[in-house]
Amino acid sequence: MDVSDRSTLVRISQKNIRSYYFLTEEIALRILYNASAPDATHDTSESFTHPPCHPNTWLTILDDLTTWSQDTSDSAPQIVWMHEPAGTEKSAIAQSLCEALQDQTSLGGRFFFKRGHLSRGNAARLWPTIAYQLARSSPSFKAAIATRLTSDPALVNKSLPTQLQQLLIDPYHDAAASIDRNLVVIIDGLDECEDEARQQEILRSLPRFLPCRPRLRILIVSRPETHIKQVFGEPALSSCVHLTVPGASKDVLIYLTDEFKRIRETHAAMASISCPWPEENIILYIMRKSSGHFIYAATVIRFVEDNDFDPAERLTGGGEGGLPISALDELYLQILGAVPYRPQLSRVFSVITVGLISELSVTQIGHLLGLKPTEIILMIRRLHSLIEIKERSQGRAVAQYLSVYHASFLDFLSDPSRSRNFHFSDKDQQNLATDMLEALSQNSTHRDEAMA
């Protein structure tokens, strides 16, 4: 065999090797894809039901998250938990961050859980979905994971910790030398995963990411549910940073102003309406009612802009077609539906609707209702996205108080047609209000005696 023949064989062998690796990687991608939830990623049709932030809103928190995603120092936190109650813009912020990271080629992957969804509610789809996205964004990661999946295609059916280790952590270590940028993995709506035990299992597996610093970052987005807070309070996740999404009245005002302008310019019934519409005091009123949460403002806008009605009449309370509360009711009933119904819970809510909740401690509320303080805390265990427990120092003791995140929840509880089984009758509520006022009077007397 002469030199030219040997050269030809070498070229054929090299071509065959490249073809083999290409085929191996494509098979691995197909295995991952079949085990994943493609509609849980950031750029599918499903994601358009949760659009990004309205322009010029949430700029500070987005800037903080972008800075964190680009920080290559070992001191930068590797895991961030972004949380806030129902009705905030957590998912919109996550979607905006995804788009920014995509532009910077720094998005490792996103999984957006959805309660009751066949694939998006399934925890077993999480890590294959993230691994598939990482493989698509990093050739070296794709090569590393292909090696493992061709050896054992059943990896996608293993336990969650095994999936995480062999589909993400091990391939990442193999490919790390070739990854020259931070990659951010976003797990959005964790509280909507199929059950609490699976949610906690996912969280307890996160420390496996810690040896992957500084390049691989994890952002968890959820409501501050008790079982989630419990795991984040464990020593293994002590290095995790907690990022609270604040209420943002200024951002809500920007949104309302822009959206009402759009309705005025595009709605067929608005041609004869003179400017300014609506008046500034109306916009400010809606902003205050929103308590800085977009869900209320967005619900009002959807109600007003209905093409079958006159926006001006809808906004001032005239016209037909119902009230702009259906989306809020759906949200609140979904949250309350996860709580085992107890008649006592509606009594606790009655204290809230009377409006004196912030003045009475949990102990005092329990005394009024004939309940132990621990019973009240357990009742609202799954309502931390609606009701906050605050602590206040009282001398050497610390008392617990309840606080409602969103004013619209009070409106919801006050209307029996909306809150249904969780509404307290008007007569019983009047009697309770009298008892509460007496309790407050006694509190005032005790404070005066203590000061004397």
Side-chain angles (χ1 to χ4, degrees), residues 145-304:
I145 200 170
T147 301
R148 285 170 170 76
L149 280 174
T150 50
S151 299
D152 186 4
L155 283 177
V156 294
N157 298 320
K158 302 291 186 181
S159 66
L160 290 182
T162 300
Q163 282 186 17
L164 173 58
Q165 188 66 42
Q166 299 196 34
L167 295 180
L168 270 79
I169 305 302
D170 292 343
Y172 177 82
H173 283 305
D174 292 345
S178 302
I179 298 176
D180 58 356
R181 64 193 185 282
N182 286 358
L183 292 172
V184 180
V185 171
I186 300 175
I187 301 176
D188 191 2
L190 178 64
D191 54 286
E192 298 211 13
C193 180
E194 54 195 334
D195 61 59
E196 293 181 6
R198 293 292 249 178
Q199 295 169 28
Q200 291 185 320
E201 185 179 8
I202 291 169
L203 292 176
R204 290 193 171 104
S205 68
L206 294 183
R208 292 171 181 260
F209 280 101
L210 296 178
C212 300
R213 71 171 56 251
R215 290 297 191 186
L216 194 58
R217 304 289 173 82
I218 311 297
L219 174 65
I220 305 293
V221 183
S222 78
R223 295 173 186 169
E225 305 294 5
T226 301
H227 63 281
I228 293 178
K229 292 168 67 175
Q230 174 188 333
V231 179
F232 274 113
E234 294 174 359
L237 287 172
S238 60
S239 63
C240 170
V241 169
H242 296 202
L243 179 62
T244 302
V245 180
S249 295
K250 183 179 72 173
D251 290 336
V252 170
L253 181 60
I254 292 172
Y255 169 78
L256 287 170
T257 302
D258 289 350
E259 288 298 288
F260 278 127
K261 180 176 184 291
R262 177 183 59 80
I263 294 171
R264 186 176 67 243
E265 293 175 348
T266 61
H267 198 288
M270 297 298 292
S272 60
I273 300 295
S274 59
C275 292
W277 180 90
E279 294 180 1
E280 183 181 7
N281 65 314
I282 294 178
I283 298 178
L284 292 175
Y285 172 77
I286 298 172
M287 180 198 74
R288 288 192 294 270
K289 289 283 285 184
S290 75
S291 302
H293 295 167
F294 270 74
I295 186 171
Y296 183 87
T299 302
V300 170
I301 291 297
R302 283 193 295 271
F303 175 76
V304 171

Side-chain angles (χ1 to χ4, degrees), residues 143 153 313 325 328 371 402 430:
E313 290 187 359
I325 56 176
L328 286 172
L371 298 170
L402 304 181
Q430 290 172 1

